[in-house]
Amino acid sequence: MRHLSCLLGVWGVLSILPAHAAPPPHVVRAVASFTVLADVVAHVGGTHVSVTSLVPPDGDPHEFEPAPNDARVLRQADIVFMSGEGLESWFGRLAHAAGYRGTPVIVSNGISLYTPPGNRQEEADPHVWNNVANVIVWADNIRDALIAIDPADADSFRTSAAAYVSQLEALDRDIRARISAIPASRRRILTSHDAFGYFGRAYGVTFLAPQGLSTETEASAGDMASLITQIRANGVTTYFMENATDPRMVRQVAHATGAAPGGELYAEALSPPTGPAPDYITMMRHNTDLMLAAMRPH
């Protein structure tokens, strides 16, 4: 199936309901651009929202190719959520194909964007969710958008959002405490592409990657040579794959530097439900666990 559909709430079967029973409550049909965002929408929306992710689990939100069924899903949506900042470059094509004329909710509005050194301002890093504090902004924006479209359930959305934000605040404190226990000189990670800039800035970790902000770009031979020199100079001994990216370039760098594999990080897509990162909070804990194992002295 090309998209993750998570229907929340219990629908009665009309044929067996007693005559006096109330009809099932209205459920807002929400569409999110990719799985990480869909999970956050589901937590804030609770039982009053059904959420469909256009990009499937383990899917790359940069290079996603919509299918006809995705156009149907978009046409049927009551509300659409996107992260924005250039992540969903394919959305315009899908909206045109679907005849969608609505205005998506851009959940990253209000976040302080990070532009890696040497990048033009228009190339701000779109991977804002890798700093937990930014997902708290997401939750607030999602709550307000749901209240606007379904004011009758406003109290429920406020309650769900507050409970989820409390979990996010605890997660943020835990990541900070665990990484701060590692000497700053050891907080260096080699991964596939430059998706962890917000994580690095928030939690004090340096990330090295052969690819840039988008998996649609290719690293040049000069970029690769410079990265190999940098890795050797900094003593990086472990490299990581990402679940949604091509592993070939990072393997080339690892072969040239002698770095050993450290596991699979989830940078911009959740795993399927049975995998190690089926939701955002579990994803962040999984990534942090793997990074800490690589940064500790062996």
Side-chain angles (χ1 to χ4, degrees):
M1 204 162 104
R2 286 187 58 84
H3 62 271
L4 171 67
S5 181
C6 176
L7 293 178
L8 303 173
V10 179
W11 288 88
V13 180
L14 296 179
S15 61
I16 62 173
L17 286 175
H20 63 273
H26 171 67
V27 175
V28 174
R29 293 169 298 184
V31 168
S33 54
F34 68 121
T35 51
V36 177
L37 178 53
D39 179 61
V40 182
V41 173
H43 276 90
V44 175
T47 57
H48 300 288
V49 176
S50 69
V51 188
T52 299
S53 176
L54 293 170
V55 182
D58 286 335
D60 184 343
H62 298 285
E63 296 191 320
F64 177 61
E65 291 294 337
N69 187 58
D70 298 311
R72 179 187 61 80
V73 168
L74 188 60
R75 281 194 298 271
Q76 294 175 348
D78 296 316
I79 190 168
V80 177
F81 292 97
M82 295 171 56
S83 181
E85 310 309 332
L87 179 73
E88 301 98 339
S89 59
W90 44 266
F91 184 81
R93 300 193 305 273
L94 174 60
H96 178 74
Y100 172 76
R101 291 178 173 80
T103 302
V105 177
I106 305 300
V107 298
S108 298
N109 286 345
I111 288 174
S112 175
L113 297 178
Y114 167 67
T115 302
N119 281 35
R120 298 188 301 274
Q121 187 60 42
E122 62 268 24
E123 294 177 321
D125 187 344
H127 306 91
V128 298
W129 57 90
N130 283 314
N131 175 358
V132 179
N134 291 339
V135 176
I136 293 175
V137 176
W138 274 17
D140 290 343
N141 288 337
I142 292 165
R143 175 202 62 206
D144 293 346
L146 290 174
I147 289 172
I149 196 172
D150 182 14
D153 294 314
D155 288 344
S156 178
F157 295 142
R158 291 189 185 101
T159 299
S160 296
Y164 189 56
V165 166
S166 293
Q167 294 180 54
L168 294 174
E169 289 171 342
L171 173 66
D172 185 61
R173 289 192 299 269
D174 182 60
I175 294 174
R176 290 180 188 281
R178 296 178 72 198
I179 291 179
S180 67
I182 302 293
S185 62
R186 296 197 61 85
R187 298 181 207 159
R188 299 181 184 277
I189 297 292
L190 169 62
T191 187
S192 303
H193 86 294
D194 196 5
F196 287 97
Y198 289 93
F199 190 104
R201 188 170 64 158
Y203 306 115
V205 178
T206 298
F207 288 88
L208 309 171
Q211 277 184 296
L213 294 174
S214 172
T215 54
E216 295 174 300
T217 64
E218 291 285 342
S220 68
D223 293 335
M224 296 280 278
S226 176
L227 179 62
I228 289 167
T229 300
Q230 191 178 6
I231 289 166
R232 287 172 174 162
N234 287 286
V236 176
T237 60
T238 306
Y239 71 92
F240 291 95
M241 300 300 184
E242 294 171 25
N243 66 317
T245 59
D246 188 329
R248 287 175 294 180
M249 278 191 289
V250 75
R251 282 185 176 141
Q252 290 176 30
V253 173
H255 180 74
T257 61
E264 187 173 60
L265 298 178
Y266 287 76
E268 52 196 14
L270 300 182
S271 69
T274 56
D279 61 79
Y280 173 71
I281 289 177
T282 305
M283 178 190 89
M284 292 297 287
R285 292 195 183 282
H286 167 86
N287 289 344
T288 302
D289 287 346
L290 289 184
M291 292 178 200
L292 287 167
M295 292 188 285
R296 292 189 184 106
H298 295 88

